[in-house]
Amino acid sequence: MPSPSLHLEEVTADNVEAACRLHVRPDQDGLVKPVTWSLAQAYATPDIAWPRLVFDGEQLVGFVMAFFDVRFYPDDPNDNRLRSGLWRLNIDAGHQGRGYGRFAVEAVCEEIRRRGGTRATVSWVPGEHGPEKFYAKLGFRLTGETSGDQVVGELELANA
């Protein structure tokens, strides 16, 4: 059960090195980009990226990055739908299975609602060790779309 002291923090000069030391399990390496890659993407796209560190009290346990108001298919003139959702989720190997991922996803969904959104989007690489069951348990449903080599899921957000 997650601790009541769970919270997100911005990535800063004081915590970026610790963030870069986060690693998922070896069987998940090909399924999610490392935090360093995510931070480079966030630096290159600060207008859409929302990188945050997941803490349990003072203990760094993970990384989450959201995106806001993105067109998935910018080359398609018919794609006028802006999406927001989960771009990256890395829970450190030694801290998985304790509710930290659920907390991070719920925090992203809350931020989407705060910004006026009603739906969260996520994509993932399908596979035996992939996160499909995790996202399905949280209520995400496959849309039938793909984004590169990833499948796309969506969650309707309740007004809360």
Side-chain angles (χ1 to χ4, degrees), residues 39-156:
L39 291 175
Q41 288 179 308
Y43 179 81
T45 58
D47 51 327
I48 61 170
W50 192 73
R52 295 294 186 268
L53 299 178
V54 182
F55 280 86
D56 187 349
E58 298 295 315
Q59 176 73 47
L60 175 61
V61 298
F63 172 84
V64 65
M65 187 162 73
F67 62 89
F68 300 106
D69 299 329
V70 172
R71 288 178 46 212
F72 263 34
Y73 310 104
D75 295 334
D76 180 353
N78 297 318
D79 180 24
N80 296 320
R81 182 172 159 214
L82 296 178
R83 302 184 201 214
S84 298
L86 232 76
W87 190 348
R88 200 72 36 71
L89 178 61
N90 304 65
I91 302 300
D92 194 63
H95 297 286
Q96 292 185 15
R98 299 181 188 170
Y100 299 131
R102 172 183 286 275
F103 167 79
V105 171
E106 289 172 353
V108 166
C109 290
E110 182 55 37
E111 182 65 19
I112 292 169
R113 277 193 290 274
R114 190 186 71 72
R115 294 171 181 240
T118 59
R119 178 177 302 149
T121 302
V122 65
S123 63
W124 64 86
V125 176
E128 180 182 353
H129 300 288
E132 186 165 349
K133 289 179 184 175
F134 168 75
Y135 288 122
K137 196 185 312 183
L138 295 178
F140 284 87
R141 299 292 171 249
L142 289 170
T143 65
E145 299 171 278
T146 58
S147 177
D149 63 347
Q150 300 185 8
V151 295
V152 178
E154 289 188 334
L155 173 66
E156 293 295 325

